[in-house]
Amino acid sequence: RPFVGFPLRGHFEQRIHVRHRLDRHGARHWIEYVDATPSAIAVALEAALARPPGYLPVSADGAARAAARIAPLLIPA
């Protein structure tokens, strides 16, 4: 999904934790909040929309892995 972020200056969570999490998902367009003019936002949005989305692979075997871990607890040895 296209994304443009505007982290607040001095806001540790937005600048470190949230940014790290969003970077892992391909959110690469960031504008300093104080620099977020209409033209800067337009340029960033245009760049974000022009880039094809890249999604991280999602494991499809979660239920099977959970069942394999739970089954020994339910069936007496």
Side-chain angles (χ1 to χ4, degrees), residues 42-75:
V43 168
L45 286 173
E46 184 178 33
L49 291 169
R51 192 172 144 224
Y55 299 104
L56 294 176
V58 176
S59 175
D61 66 339
R65 286 185 295 123
R69 293 182 113 179
I70 294 170
L73 302 173
L74 299 176
I75 302 169

